[in-house]
Amino acid sequence: MKRYTDISLKPYNTFGIDVRAKCMLQYDSVQELQHIISHREEMLAEPILHIGSGSNLLFLDDFPGTILFSNIRHLDIVSEDDESLTVNVGAGMVMDDFIALCVGRGWYGLENLSLIPGQVGASAVQNIGAYGVEAADHIVAVHCVSLHDGSLRVFSNAECNYSYRHSIFKEPGTRGNYAVVSVDYRLDKSFVPRLDYGGIRSALQAETPLTAQNLRDTIIDIRRQKLPDPQVLGNAGSFFMNPIIPKAQFEELRQRYPDIPSYAVDEDRIKVPAGWMIEKCGWKGRSMGNAAVHDRQALVLVNKGGATGADIVNLCEAVREAVRETFGITISPEVNFI
Ligand code: EPU
């Protein structure tokens, strides 16, 4: 276990916002976390915030309490048959390291999630998704420790209440109450590529055989072309969620904008890309102070250097207002404001 006081959080959030925390505790096992919780009074300054790679956070101010950080990084096979296997993965493992390892061993299904930043624990909280695949499609169970009493609880996939970028861990009543310590992921032993999301088929090199590694490499190339590297330009990936609207409202919009892209969610609802709307409003590439809308993907807000949380929020509000005025749709941040 490592304990730090008055620590800069700049390396712990991909936006690169320079704020400080009163205390940070990094733990290496479930037992260490339970020890911390059972000695809460001595070990933890309130409030408590559990972070992962900090790739979905926007710090607005110094943090007055304790940041918890997991270094649990094991990978164990839980069960296996001819078609699939289930592995238990430590919440602190980097998700893309896990995916690389799966592809290398011939465990398939997560290729489309390649290069999404963040740790395995966060993948289960955010239900990360890309190119037609969501973490929830492969999560069997999520193992948690209660931050109140240190007890263990396992949430089945159904109990996690997954939907687009949503889980029970984001719901009032559960949010902030648990630390995810490990996740059970089910992988397939045969490779069934999912290529239907726009751009993947055409990006795959026609001459190379369609292997999981080639699909992973293609996804990584697509992401690198559009999404800024946080080491170079601070950002938290998609800043906004794509709004889901009633079909009737979508049909009205389509009258006005025949080229509007869309994804059917179910019979009555349609998901519309916020990035497309932001670009249509003329905000792609525009700056406000040290914050900017990324010039290659309008769903991403970036820190051009030295931006504060408030700078990013001001830009966020200006963009939301523009989308509301033009399309009558209120877009919501995906990033958590702290
Ligand atoms: N578009 C534009 N202009 C832009 C951005 C997008 O016109 O500046 C259009 C694209 O041309 C396309 C549509 O909007 O027709 C969708 O764009 P894209 O495929 O890039 O995906 P997205 O909806 O902007 C979502 C996820 C991404 C994920 C991609 C691919 C959310 C909030 N974001 O973005 O996830 O990688 O789909 O599946 O759902 C993340 O969460 O950090 C993230 C990057």
Side-chain angles (χ1 to χ4, degrees):
M1 186 188 319
K2 291 201 192 87
R3 186 189 173 88
Y4 305 92
T5 50
D6 187 26
I7 182 175
S8 168
L9 293 176
K10 197 170 174 191
Y12 293 96
N13 73 98
T14 58
F15 251 125
I17 306 288
D18 198 4
V19 290
R20 304 187 79 78
K22 186 170 178 185
C23 179
M24 176 184 280
L25 275 176
Q26 297 193 2
Y27 59 90
D28 302 306
S29 66
V30 172
Q31 292 72 24
E32 273 188 14
L33 176 60
Q34 289 176 314
H35 176 82
I36 292 167
I37 300 199
S38 63
H39 295 77
R40 201 183 168 102
E41 303 265 300
E42 310 104 77
M43 298 190 76
L44 294 173
E46 305 278 342
I48 299 167
L49 173 70
H50 202 302
I51 64 165
S53 307
S55 52
N56 211 32
L57 294 177
L58 179 63
F59 285 108
L60 303 181
D61 219 330
D62 288 340
F63 189 71
T66 308
I67 304 275
L68 286 172
F69 183 92
S70 169
N71 281 319
I72 302 178
R73 297 199 183 115
H74 63 267
L75 187 152
D76 300 318
I77 295 177
V78 177
S79 63
E80 187 168 5
D81 59 28
D82 289 346
E83 273 114 49
S84 67
L85 79 169
T86 300
V87 291
N88 177 255
V89 197
M93 187 184 280
V94 170
M95 187 67 189
D96 193 56
D97 291 349
F98 169 51
I99 296 172
L101 192 148
C102 289
V103 169
R105 292 193 187 176
W107 303 343
Y108 304 118
L110 300 178
E111 304 77 34
N112 294 31
L113 306 183
S114 292
L115 209 66
I116 294 187
Q119 297 177 340
V120 166
S123 73
V125 172
Q126 302 290 345
N127 185 19
I128 59 168
Y131 308 108
V133 175
E134 288 187 343
D137 301 338
H138 291 271
I139 289 174
V140 177
V142 182
H143 300 251
C144 298
V145 163
S146 160
L147 292 175
H148 296 293
D149 61 15
S151 59
L152 282 168
R153 173 153 178 206
V154 183
F155 290 80
S156 67
N157 178 298
E159 286 171 322
C160 289
N161 205 15
Y162 282 127
S163 58
Y164 169 61
R165 293 295 198 270
H166 180 81
S167 75
I168 190 169
F169 306 109
K170 296 174 97 174
E171 291 175 8
T174 314
R175 190 191 170 103
N177 289 348
Y178 293 95
V180 175
V181 289
S182 63
V183 183
D184 290 348
Y185 266 99
R186 181 160 38 230
L187 291 321
D188 302 318
K189 289 192 176 172
S190 47
F191 174 50
V192 182
R194 273 161 286 185
L195 309 176
D196 290 333
Y197 192 93
I200 300 188
R201 251 178 233 283
S202 54
L204 273 163
Q205 302 284 341
E207 67 275 18
T208 50
L210 180 51
T211 63
Q213 187 62 53
N214 288 342
L215 177 54
R216 172 172 159 78
D217 293 344
T218 301
I219 299 280
I220 289 175
D221 284 348
I222 296 175
R223 288 186 75 89
R224 287 209 171 117
Q225 279 161 30
K226 289 187 180 178
L227 300 169
D229 177 355
Q231 302 291 337
V232 180
L233 201 56
N235 75 92
S238 300
F239 191 89
F240 300 100
M241 286 190 278
N242 287 329
I244 294 173
I245 59 173
K247 207 168 185 176
Q249 186 182 5
F250 175 74
E251 291 306 338
E252 275 172 34
L253 277 178
R254 197 157 52 176
Q255 301 282 319
R256 276 163 57 204
Y257 305 98
D259 61 333
I260 186 168
S262 63
Y263 307 96
V265 174
D266 53 35
E267 276 190 6
D268 310 317
R269 296 177 312 154
I270 308 275
K271 187 154 75 179
V272 184
W276 180 88
M277 292 194 282
I278 295 167
E279 180 170 352
K280 267 287 193 247
C281 292
W283 273 93
K284 192 169 183 170
R286 265 177 76 181
S287 303
M288 260 176 83
N290 290 329
V293 178
H294 188 47
D295 54 7
R296 276 178 282 155
Q297 163 54 291
L299 201 53
V300 178
L301 302 190
V302 298
N303 175 0
K304 294 199 300 175
T308 61
D311 291 336
I312 308 279
V313 172
N314 288 340
L315 176 62
C316 158
E317 286 310 325
V319 167
R320 291 181 83 196
E321 187 50 37
V323 170
R324 212 167 11 233
E325 244 179 42
T326 309
F327 294 96
I329 292 175
T330 301
I331 55 172
S332 303
E334 186 193 3
V335 169
N336 296 308
F337 294 8
I338 310 293

